Amino acid sequence: MRADVLDALARHAATLDESGFDPRADVSVDAWAGLHADLAALGLEFSDITALDRIDAVELVCWLLSSPSEQLSVRTSCLNDRLLAPTLSDVYPPAEFGEREVYDLFGVVFEGHPDMSRILQPDDATTFPLRKSFELAETPW
Amino acid sequence: MGIVDRAEEAGFITTTLDKLLRWGRSRSMWPVNAGIACCSLEMMTTGAGRYDFDRFGIMFRSSPRQADVLIVPGPITKKMQPIVQRVYNQMAEPRWVIAMGSCAISGGAFADSYNVLPGCDTFLPVDVYIPGCPPRPEALIYGCLKLKEQIANTSFIGSAARNKALYVPPDLGEEWPDELLRQFGVLPADDSSEGGSRDVGEVRDEG
């Protein structure tokens, strides 16, 4: 792990875990945008943004690439009663579609996103199908 | 003695209008050039040189206005459904639908998914089902020949009412004005001025 990246993680009170296959950093949702702005300034490249349903919260996972071949996953947690996170699309423009996908499938709303609409499901869809609470039997065929 | 020999010998043939219609329609089934998913690769193969759809009079048309067969070669997602429905609505009658492959028949591997319809017969009147994942070109040809057989053996004259019941989908929506729908018997022909009460669904901006 690069020293400047470690500095940025420490500045935003992120906990680093390097025991897994790829290093992961957990950060609070308030520091989410600031940390990514710093990491982008250090030259880290955006790879993907996705999410995991942790029953009581939705965990956002942002994959970053650092040359030549280091991968870092930055994670944050949005509690179920406040599924709201600042957008990364102003830091990483390609995150726009990824965040729309996370919204479409998990229901996390990104503040400051230019177009927070459905991307995979029809515009009139009302469900978030990748949530654990989603039951297929309720789908009106 | 074939029909051509007879026509050459006598200079004319006698037949019924119904038979003439069936003869013509069954030998010029023109499908829409609509590839939806991976089965369309087999469909294209069937249209190309080795299998050669053209020898059956089956020629792909790029416009649904010129076509009378809709081959559905893949799973229909909920987002795709209004588009396929629209293509079908734009085809001139009489028209036929072939469900090609497991996904078009029942949703296939995606049947229990949140975004795929369990078969295109949930909103289209399907005439021929061709199983397979994907069906081989021979299977598609066999299915088309079965459809040709069906067209050649179905009387069209006097069956307008039956065709209407079969072929007009319930939600033509914004495509047709009310007076046309009344004329064709889709809407009841009462003269009470209740205009505007019919639910046409959400009109979507397609710009």
Side-chain angles (χ1 to χ4, degrees), chain A residues 105 119-121 129 136 139 141, chain B residues 78-79 112-114 116 118:
Chain A
L105 302 178
I119 187 169
L120 296 176
Q121 294 196 82
L136 193 58
T139 312
W141 291 120
Chain B
K78 284 184 188 171
K79 204 168 180 176
D112 289 332
S113 167
Y114 60 86
V116 174

Side-chain angles (χ1 to χ4, degrees), chain B residues 45-53 55 141:
Chain B
T45 308
T46 318
R50 185 174 291 262
Y51 293 96
D52 196 11
F53 244 169
R55 64 198 159 122
I141 290 174

Side-chain angles (χ1 to χ4, degrees), chain A residues 21-102:
Chain A
F21 186 75
D22 284 320
R24 59 175 279 183
D26 286 276
V27 74
S28 76
V29 71
D30 297 327
W32 181 245
L35 173 61
H36 279 288
D38 283 5
L39 293 179
L42 294 177
L44 265 66
E45 290 162 4
F46 174 80
S47 171
D48 193 14
I49 183 166
T50 181
L52 297 164
D53 190 352
R54 298 291 193 198
I55 310 292
D56 56 337
V58 173
E59 186 177 314
L60 295 180
V61 187
C62 184
W63 293 94
L64 300 176
L65 294 176
S66 148
S67 64
S69 63
E70 213 169 351
Q71 187 163 255
L72 171 70
S73 77
V74 185
R75 304 183 184 221
T76 189
S77 238
C78 295
L79 289 178
N80 270 359
D81 52 357
R82 195 166 181 279
L83 290 177
L84 207 59
T87 183
L88 301 184
S89 59
D90 43 0
V91 183
Y92 309 115
E96 187 181 328
F97 276 20
E99 288 180 346
R100 278 177 70 189
E101 187 185 359
V102 171

Side-chain angles (χ1 to χ4, degrees), chain B residues 139-153:
Chain B
L140 181 57
I141 290 174
Y142 182 73
C144 288
L145 293 182
K146 279 290 167 194
L147 181 60
K148 175 184 170 185
E149 217 171 89
Q150 181 193 319
I151 296 170
N153 292 322

